[in-house]
Amino acid sequence: MSFDSLGLRADILRAVRELGYDTPTPIQAQAIPAVLSGGDLLAGAQTGTGKTAGFTLPMLERLMAMPKPEGKRRPIRVLVLTPTRELAAQVEESVQQYGKHLPLRSMVMFGGVGMQPQIDKLRRGVDILVATPGRLLDHQQQGNLDLSKVEMLVLDEADRMLDMGFIHDIRKVLALLPRQRQNLLFSATFSDDIKALADRLLNKPALIEVARRNATAETVAQKIYPVDRERKRELLSKLVRDNNWYQVLVFTRTKHGANRLAEQLGKDGISAMAIHGNKSQSARTRALGAFKAGELQVLVATDIAARGIDISELPHVVNYELPNVSEDYVHRIGRTGRAGSNGEAVSLVCVDELKLLAGIEKLIKRKLPREVVPGFEPDPNAKPEPIPNGRNNAGKRRGPPRQNASGKARPSGGQQRRRRSRSKAVTA
Ligand code: AMP
């Protein structure tokens, strides 16, 4: 298949050719016609699949094909929301590249930089605005922004936006948009929170899901250590000590479990700290700094805490407990063995987790090698116990910290904004 048959105009095809693309990626082949048809879209795709062109190319085509809104000023016709500054900048750069032969103007807007240049740019008129939610709302509150003419909304990496606690901001932004519009939602994962957001936002969406890139990086050696539930900590200490592991990122399922494990490792003489949503940002930053500097041997993290921070290319990732959602396994081991460096991802698996393990192996289409450590042979008669699904650990649920989702114990708007900008400082 070539780009020529997708219904894009010559000026867009020229830009695509100039970038050296000759074949649409699977997400592009499906998303481009779906978006051109004018309907809503729910797409499962992560970075690297070509998703940005998947929504940008048909968006540009539609902006050109639809009648220009009346009036002298150029209204904002497309709003793209992204979780991070980096992604916002990348997406806007793509918009510029793909639209370089078109008479459309785009702009990127995020926090941490001065407001005035953004205000000036808005005043000059912008067709396509790519923004992070916080700064967008700041401009809205100051009256710098008119979103009443938006024809298309794109939520990019929606799962990450929810993980970072942006759901309330997203809701506020939605309230500023006209009811009649096209909505596109891109997400690498489909948690219950994403499904709920999609239900609220999308009208009979086309559904597209493309295979995960890099389902199991070849450079990551993966191994399962079968072990009894009660002996996991002992085995972890032994593995860290015997193999002289350093910079080990250990995943637990719960915040409480992370705390307890970090304490116990400390008692075993292994320097360890826990990071999770209940820790203050300064405690998290401190732990991360010490870990990156190599002063801390082990960092214990929950999935959500680990997703919001930039730690990658680690030599060792340990699944102290398997995640409830198989996709999280892929996210976790993606922290290691990047860019050709060798990494090792090991999982300590007890009888309770065999079903989770089967789900992971199905997802990655591969059976993982087992290795029993002498002295840690699991009891063959052990009975599986249910994995606790407490309030903070409900089954397949993922997304923003529970206290946010439930609305209880939620910080005030101001606190939340401050907390968010602090967490941005860490991710940036
Ligand atoms: P994305 O998933 O949108 O972040 O895109 C990942 C990378 O793939 C970017 O560097 C794009 O420039 C590149 N890319 C996107 N579509 C194509 C294509 N059809 N052919 C070749 N490269 C592409």
Side-chain angles (χ1 to χ4, degrees), residues 94 106 138 154 204 288 403:
S94 298
S106 62
D138 289 343
V154 183
K204 299 199 192 85
L288 195 63
Q403 64 269 35

Side-chain angles (χ1 to χ4, degrees), residues 67-132:
K68 266 214 205 101
E70 308 217 329
K72 240 169 64 193
R73 268 190 84 188
R74 234 175 230 261
I76 297 166
R77 298 173 65 195
V78 174
L79 174 64
V80 183
L81 288 181
T82 75
T84 63
R85 302 166 193 189
E86 293 77 11
L87 185 62
Q90 259 174 43
V91 169
E92 202 258 342
E93 201 186 312
S94 298
V95 171
Q96 289 205 15
Q97 285 179 333
Y98 302 137
K100 72 192 239 205
H101 302 301
L102 304 175
L104 296 170
R105 285 196 215 149
S106 62
M107 163 179 181
V108 63
M109 175 189 278
F110 49 68
V113 294
M115 297 279 278
Q116 195 54 47
Q118 297 178 348
I119 296 171
D120 295 343
K121 205 153 185 191
L122 281 171
R123 290 216 177 110
R124 287 197 292 272
V126 168
D127 300 286
I128 303 154
L129 176 61
V130 185
T132 53

Side-chain angles (χ1 to χ4, degrees), residues 58-367:
M59 166 221 290
L60 294 171
E61 175 61 42
R62 276 185 70 79
L63 282 180
M64 293 303 295
M66 304 274 278
K68 266 214 205 101
E70 308 217 329
K72 240 169 64 193
R73 268 190 84 188
R74 234 175 230 261
I76 297 166
R77 298 173 65 195
V78 174
L79 174 64
V80 183
L81 288 181
T82 75
T84 63
R85 302 166 193 189
E86 293 77 11
L87 185 62
Q90 259 174 43
V91 169
E92 202 258 342
E93 201 186 312
S94 298
V95 171
Q96 289 205 15
Q97 285 179 333
Y98 302 137
K100 72 192 239 205
H101 302 301
L102 304 175
L104 296 170
R105 285 196 215 149
S106 62
M107 163 179 181
V108 63
M109 175 189 278
F110 49 68
V113 294
M115 297 279 278
Q116 195 54 47
Q118 297 178 348
I119 296 171
D120 295 343
K121 205 153 185 191
L122 281 171
R123 290 216 177 110
R124 287 197 292 272
V126 168
D127 300 286
I128 303 154
L129 176 61
V130 185
T132 53
R135 177 54 67 96
L136 185 82
L137 288 170
D138 289 343
H139 277 291
Q140 157 68 21
Q141 274 150 19
Q142 292 189 12
N144 307 328
L145 203 59
D146 178 5
L147 296 175
S148 67
K149 298 284 189 303
V150 168
E151 297 160 32
M152 184 189 286
L153 169 73
V154 183
L155 295 186
D156 196 10
E157 300 200 358
D159 50 349
R160 254 182 108 191
M161 279 199 258
L162 297 192
D163 282 354
M164 290 170 76
F166 282 140
I167 186 67
H168 304 285
D169 286 353
I170 292 174
R171 284 205 192 116
K172 283 188 206 155
V173 174
L174 293 182
L176 303 170
L177 304 178
R179 286 175 71 92
Q180 184 65 34
R181 57 170 200 264
Q182 188 176 12
N183 300 293
L184 318 179
L185 190 156
F186 285 77
S187 182
T189 55
F190 286 104
S191 62
D192 291 348
D193 289 320
I194 287 290
K195 285 183 200 140
L197 178 65
D199 281 348
R200 214 172 36 233
L201 184 70
L202 305 176
N203 179 24
K204 299 199 192 85
L207 302 174
I208 297 178
E209 192 153 14
V210 295
R212 301 188 75 82
R213 179 187 56 128
N214 187 22
T216 48
E218 288 306 312
T219 46
V220 182
Q222 300 169 68
K223 204 188 282 178
I224 303 297
Y225 287 109
V227 61
D228 283 333
R229 189 185 310 116
E230 299 77 17
R231 300 199 63 202
K232 282 191 174 186
R233 199 261 308 143
E234 214 183 316
L235 176 58
L236 177 61
S237 291
K238 178 183 165 58
L239 289 171
V240 171
R241 258 199 311 263
D242 288 3
N243 298 303
N244 203 13
W245 282 349
Y246 63 98
Q247 282 197 320
V248 191
L249 178 62
V250 177
F251 283 96
T252 59
R253 231 178 272 129
T254 65
K255 299 171 198 173
H256 179 61
N259 279 340
R260 204 173 40 201
L261 181 61
E263 259 172 47
Q264 288 172 334
L265 289 173
K267 286 183 190 148
D268 290 346
I270 294 168
S271 60
M273 276 171 103
I275 51 163
H276 52 67
N278 284 3
K279 294 250 166 170
S280 72
Q281 190 61 47
S282 63
R284 283 199 256 175
T285 309
R286 222 172 23 247
L288 195 63
F291 184 64
K292 282 182 167 174
E295 294 155 16
L296 197 63
Q297 215 168 348
V298 174
L299 190 66
V300 189
T302 56
D303 289 289
I304 288 171
R307 284 190 100 195
I309 54 175
D310 172 27
I311 28 176
S312 59
E313 296 182 45
L314 294 169
H316 305 284
V317 167
V318 176
N319 296 303
Y320 186 76
E321 290 156 331
L322 288 181
N324 286 322
V325 181
S326 301
E327 280 82 1
D328 279 341
Y329 176 84
V330 180
H331 279 291
R332 288 178 177 188
I333 73 161
R335 300 283 184 175
T336 177
R338 291 229 174 129
S341 62
N342 289 320
E344 190 172 23
V346 306
S347 304
L348 311 191
V349 176
C350 71
V351 66
D352 310 341
E353 300 170 301
L354 295 180
K355 263 201 185 136
L356 295 177
L357 178 59
I360 288 165
E361 291 184 323
K362 197 168 157 212
L363 177 75
I364 65 174
K365 299 194 174 64
R366 175 163 157 195
K367 191 155 168 70

